[in-house]
């Protein structure tokens, strides 16, 4: 496998991963609130919501970094790809 093809595959995979990471983090943080919460339960839910918000923000930063790396790898591979050469005498 050539280096440009490998970088193209890695770039696309990094960009796909950057799209899926926030979705998976968000999906894992979904919970239903209590129907009749006590004050302690409300405090617990607020603490969990704050922790979820921080983890989601971290996953967004990681996803942005992965997307930038993937895009850079894809652009590098695109600029350095080999084009087929034509042989003289053929159409």
């Amino acid at each position: 496998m050539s280096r440009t093809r490998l970088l193209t595959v890695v770039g696309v995979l990094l960009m796909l991963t950057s799209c899926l990471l926030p979705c998976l983090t968000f999906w894992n943080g979904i919970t239903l609130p209590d129907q009749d919460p006590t004050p302690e339960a409300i405090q617990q839910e607020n603490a969990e919501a704050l922790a979820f918000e921080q983890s989601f923000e971290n996953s967004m930063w990681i996803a942005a970094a992965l997307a930038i790396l993937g895009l850079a790898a894809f652009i590098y591979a695109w600029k350095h790809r080999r084009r087929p050469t034509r042989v003289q005498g053929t159409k």
Side-chain angles (χ1 to χ4, degrees):
M1 180 179 268
S2 68
R3 185 171 66 176
T4 56
R5 187 169 300 223
L6 179 66
L7 283 174
T8 302
V9 170
V10 168
V12 169
L13 287 176
L14 283 173
M15 288 188 282
L16 286 174
T17 304
S18 71
C19 293
L20 290 175
L21 185 65
C23 296
L24 294 175
T25 303
F26 184 74
W27 189 259
N28 288 335
I30 295 176
T31 58
L32 294 174
D34 292 334
Q35 293 296 324
D36 193 19
T38 62
E40 293 82 21
I42 293 174
Q43 288 178 344
Q44 179 69 23
E45 286 178 7
N46 289 339
E48 289 173 358
L50 182 62
F52 169 72
E53 185 177 324
Q54 291 172 347
S55 69
F56 187 70
E57 183 179 349
N58 289 337
S59 71
M60 289 299 290
W61 282 109
I62 292 169
L66 289 175
I68 290 169
L69 287 173
L71 189 60
F74 187 76
I75 290 172
Y76 180 84
W78 187 263
K79 286 186 177 184
H80 291 85
R81 70 185 189 277
R82 293 186 184 154
R83 294 178 185 93
T85 57
R86 292 188 176 182
V87 179
Q88 291 290 356
T90 61
K91 290 186 178 183

